Amino acid sequence: MPRGRPPDERSAPTLEQVARVAGVSIATASRVVTGAVPVSPDRRARVQQAISLLGYVPDERARDLRRRVHKTVGLLVPSLGDPLHADVFRILHRELSRDGFTLLVFETTGKADAEKASMDVLVRNHARAVVVAAAAGLAPPILQLLRRRDIRAIFYNDRPPQPAATCVCVDDHGGALLLTSHLIGLGHRRIALVAGALDGSTGVDRHAGYSAALAAAGSATDPQLVAGFGWTSEVGRQAATGLLRIADPPTAILAAHPSLAAGALIAIRERGLDIPGDISLASFFESDYLRFVDPPITCLGGLGAAVAAGIMTTLRTEHTGLVEIPLAASIRGSTAAPPVRA
């Protein structure tokens, strides 16, 4: 039921009064009035009851302005060359276009000045929300600007340092545990991890999931088998080259990113090794390249689509906090039982 009491009849009711009587934020009341953004049925019913109770009549000129204001969403990514960010962009663009929104995308390369310039553009365009892929989140002044302008910030990929932030994240720990356990189940014991950077939750959680799977199988993490602390294919190639040169090389490599897997694949072929006859290779998630090489690479499939769906659900609702995306393995021809060594 709507809360509060009707205002003094001598003055025209305002949207702020509607929100107070309905027990919702002004932004939620505005979304019900404009119809530009879906609102949960309970909140919508309470706002509509409050409108009826108060006799609120929206100003049509203001409503038209609000409709324009809430038709832009921003997307900030380090690089669209990353297959995850490219998938998220492609799917968000398609889904937001269906909802009548414009998506503005910015490649920031992780630089604070680029993020600030992007935010200035979004503020000028009266954006409704900004979707951010960033290990460090956003600088406090930018977050304060978004709050002042009533622009939602939704993070993905890495959990931001702000504990109350809204974030759509994959289960990095569970995904790495799943792939490592798959390799263990095939009989591998010398499993290497091309880990990626450990300066954000993505790399840290994937490393922890890998270690947890080994521990569950009664094996300790061998520091010699963990390498590649970055996200590029060259990092993956150099890491795999080093791993294949140690005295007791791995029989399987798990790459924490498709670019790392692509680099590892190059290194394996440079050594003249067969996949999976001599060594198995798995990737945390896929790219078109890994899907169509011979043999196709075992990975966690559908990551970009799952993350984009989580972001769209969050955009279309009032949800805040953590949304964790479960993952499933796509087992392909690049993983098999380890070779028998003399």
Side-chain angles (χ1 to χ4, degrees):
M1 285 291 293
R3 305 165 202 169
R5 298 164 62 182
D8 191 327
E9 292 181 359
R10 291 172 294 180
S11 59
T14 65
L15 186 64
E16 182 179 4
Q17 291 167 333
V18 169
R20 186 167 61 247
V21 170
V24 300
S25 68
I26 295 175
T28 297
S30 174
R31 289 166 188 158
V32 173
V33 170
T34 63
V37 181
V39 174
S40 68
D42 174 65
R43 288 189 174 94
R44 177 175 295 279
R46 281 157 45 194
V47 171
Q48 289 172 339
Q49 289 178 42
I51 289 172
S52 177
L53 175 67
L54 300 176
Y56 171 74
V57 178
D59 183 295
E60 288 301 322
R61 289 173 298 176
R63 187 165 79 172
D64 287 344
L65 176 60
R66 281 192 294 269
R67 280 175 174 162
R68 290 195 297 272
V69 164
H70 291 293
K71 286 295 185 181
T72 300
V73 172
L75 173 65
L76 271 64
V77 297
S79 170
L80 284 172
D82 184 294
L84 171 62
H85 304 321
D87 279 350
V88 168
F89 163 67
R90 177 177 53 81
I91 297 168
L92 287 187
H93 180 267
R94 182 188 68 210
E95 295 300 314
L96 287 168
S97 295
R98 289 174 179 171
D99 288 355
F101 283 78
T102 298
L103 178 66
L104 300 181
V105 62
F106 304 88
E107 284 189 303
T108 65
T109 63
K111 295 179 180 177
D113 57 346
E115 291 177 354
K116 176 61 169 63
S118 302
M119 289 303 165
D120 290 343
V121 173
L122 292 172
V123 168
R124 288 198 301 271
N125 282 272
H126 307 288
R128 175 185 165 239
V130 57
V131 179
V132 183
L138 292 172
I142 293 179
L143 290 172
Q144 292 167 8
L145 173 64
L146 294 178
R147 283 193 289 267
R148 287 198 307 270
R149 297 287 184 163
D150 194 27
I151 300 174
R152 291 184 69 192
I154 300 171
F155 298 90
Y156 77 96
N157 196 34
D158 275 293
R159 292 190 306 274
Q162 298 83 10
T166 298
C167 181
V168 178
C169 298
V170 300
D171 182 4
D172 290 305
H173 183 281
L177 188 150
L178 179 64
L179 285 176
T180 307
S181 297
H182 163 67
L183 294 169
I184 292 170
L186 291 172
H188 293 276
R189 292 299 177 266
R190 297 286 292 169
I191 302 171
L193 175 68
V194 181
L198 300 182
D199 57 356
S201 66
T202 295
V204 170
D205 288 353
R206 291 175 190 179
H207 182 278
Y210 158 81
S211 297
L214 293 175
S219 300
T221 301
D222 183 347
Q224 269 198 314
L225 294 179
V226 180
F229 303 106
W231 297 114
T232 67
S233 58
E234 182 57 23
V235 167
R237 189 189 71 80
Q238 292 182 9
T241 297
L243 289 165
L244 294 172
R245 285 176 177 165
I246 64 177
D248 187 10
T251 61
I253 293 176
L254 169 60
H257 188 277
S259 294
L260 298 174
L265 179 61
I266 292 170
I268 291 168
R269 288 179 170 170
E270 286 175 343
R271 297 276 291 186
L273 299 178
D274 177 68
I275 299 174
D278 297 315
I279 188 166
S280 289
L281 177 63
S283 173
F284 194 84
F285 62 98
E286 68 184 347
S287 65
D288 287 343
Y289 173 71
L290 297 182
R291 188 183 303 120
F292 295 116
V293 295
D294 184 23
I297 306 301
T298 291
C299 66
L300 299 174
L303 181 60
V307 170
I311 293 170
M312 285 304 306
T313 298
T314 302
L315 282 169
R316 287 166 172 159
T317 66
E318 297 280 322
H319 180 85
T320 59
L322 176 66
V323 177
E324 194 165 64
I325 306 297
L327 299 172
S330 294
I331 307 303
R332 295 172 178 156
S334 67
T335 53
V340 177
R341 290 181 176 174

